[in-house]
Amino acid sequence: MGAPPKRDDVPVISPAELADADGLIFGFPTRFGMMPTQFKAFMDGTSELWCPQRLAGKPAALFFSSGCQGGGQETTALTAITQLVHHGMLFVPVGYTFGAGMFEMGQVKGGSPYGCGTIAGDGSRVPTELELQQAFHQGKYFAGIAKKLKGSP
């Protein structure tokens, strides 16, 4: 599909391993306003988890990258949420919990209430400090929700 080859040092998770997690945060690039085919194919491989609903009640979140500001980060979330819903997973959006950073208008910024994001451009742009702060916030916020759901102090 034109994607670069995978690096050997990047771990790959199998669908069966999803059930072992306390929560799941999925991140991927947008493809014409939707999740990429590779993520859809991965989720299509989770039927052994779906039938017995082994992911039901598990918190899940999303984050994205897109080629431009109008690149479809919100529509990508809306199409990806269907995968979570069919598994009975609990979608945990970041909402507007990031505060003033959500309303920043002075710089190019990815992300939305659905999840943090970055604008990748042609691939040479790196996330801004603000985008990284939002990503850290989303991870911390999500971990807090996951701990509450698990009943951990």
Side-chain angles (χ1 to χ4, degrees):
M1 300 190 75
K6 293 182 183 123
R7 295 185 351 222
D8 292 335
D9 62 333
V10 176
V12 176
I13 190 170
S14 71
E17 293 173 282
L18 297 177
D20 297 331
D22 294 335
L24 300 160
I25 302 179
F26 297 107
F28 39 77
T30 62
R31 288 293 180 262
F32 303 107
M34 295 189 293
M35 70 191 97
T37 301
Q38 295 90 332
F39 181 70
K40 176 70 168 72
F42 178 81
M43 292 305 289
D44 284 346
T46 63
S47 61
E48 290 183 17
L49 299 172
W50 172 74
C51 291
Q53 286 290 285
R54 293 202 46 223
L55 301 179
K58 191 176 294 292
L62 304 167
F63 67 95
F64 321 93
S65 67
S66 59
C68 62
Q69 285 183 292
Q73 291 186 15
E74 287 193 349
T75 57
T76 299
L78 292 171
T79 59
I81 288 170
T82 60
Q83 305 297 313
L84 310 179
V85 168
H86 282 269
H87 278 283
M89 298 172 78
L90 306 174
F91 178 55
V92 180
V94 71
Y96 285 89
T97 62
F98 187 52
M102 294 298 291
F103 302 97
E104 171 60 42
M105 299 294 287
Q107 61 180 293
V108 173
K109 180 184 88 60
S112 74
Y114 295 98
C116 62
T118 190
I119 311 299
D122 63 2
S124 63
R125 182 180 181 271
V126 297
T128 65
E129 186 60 33
L130 183 62
E131 290 170 330
L132 293 172
Q133 288 170 3
Q134 184 180 11
F136 181 82
H137 169 78
Q138 181 177 357
K140 187 174 178 179
Y141 176 76
F142 179 84
I145 299 285
K147 283 176 87 173
K148 286 178 186 175
L149 288 170
K150 187 173 179 166
S152 299

